[in-house]
Amino acid sequence: AFIHTFSGKRWRVECPNPEDVDIVDIAHSLSLMCRFNGSVRKFYSIAEHSVRVRQICSPENQLWGLLHDSGEFATEDVNRPLKYSPGMGVYRLYERKTQAAIMQHFGQPTEEPAEVKAADRRLLVTEQRDLMVKGEISPGSFRESYAEILPLEETIIPWTSKKAEREFLARFRALTAPAALR
């Protein structure tokens, strides 16, 4: 079983191969996928989200931060309640395999650094504030459980998908360029 990628490659979902990873495929796909299943006031891509997570991370974790959701280029962004519901274990397995193949390809550890997870959560709170319709905060809800996390000061003004793709690739190239070229 495979999917065709933007560059025309075959990505084997059940057995992802690090050799098949192409940053252009990742950037393009993520730039066209909307966060929060599209339940935002204005289109906001996973690629832009990833660039913003990278900005919050220390230099040693910025590449991981940029790539933290890169597996979604092949597995899609499934909403959290569905992703962690009974019966979704196989999905989570393939998502982990895809993410691990990508990280292996780029010489990164497969385990997400705690700093990246914290940056992702802080950005999530900021995205909720800036991009989503305000609703009631019910006991046990996401917003209640993340109430102690402060959003960023900056207000998010979403980019176009084309800009998100360009920015993702530019940040990737800057982070992976030989030290002499930085």
Side-chain angles (χ1 to χ4, degrees), residues 38-139:
S39 294
V40 289
R41 285 186 241 136
K42 186 175 178 186
F43 178 82
Y44 176 70
S45 74
I46 297 168
E48 180 176 354
H49 164 80
S50 298
V51 169
R52 291 178 183 277
V53 168
R54 178 210 61 89
Q55 291 172 322
I56 302 170
C57 295
S58 61
E60 59 271 12
N61 287 320
Q62 285 188 354
L63 184 57
W64 224 110
L66 182 68
L67 298 173
H68 81 283
D69 280 339
S70 58
E72 293 176 4
F73 99 95
T75 62
E76 293 286 330
D77 183 19
V78 174
N79 65 70
R80 190 171 185 82
L82 178 60
K83 183 176 181 176
Y84 292 99
S85 67
M88 289 296 285
V90 172
Y91 167 83
R92 291 190 307 274
L93 170 69
Y94 293 142
E95 182 184 48
R96 280 191 309 271
K97 284 180 160 190
T98 296
Q99 188 70 26
I102 292 166
M103 295 319 230
Q104 182 180 345
H105 178 82
F106 294 118
Q108 294 293 299
T110 56
E111 188 70 30
E112 183 176 39
E115 179 189 31
V116 173
K117 180 53 80 182
D120 191 27
R121 287 181 176 149
R122 186 163 188 211
L123 187 58
L124 182 59
V125 169
T126 306
E127 291 163 345
Q128 288 255 319
R129 178 196 69 200
D130 296 345
L131 304 170
M132 301 185 82
V133 174
K134 308 292 186 255
E136 146 185 348
I137 299 177
S138 56

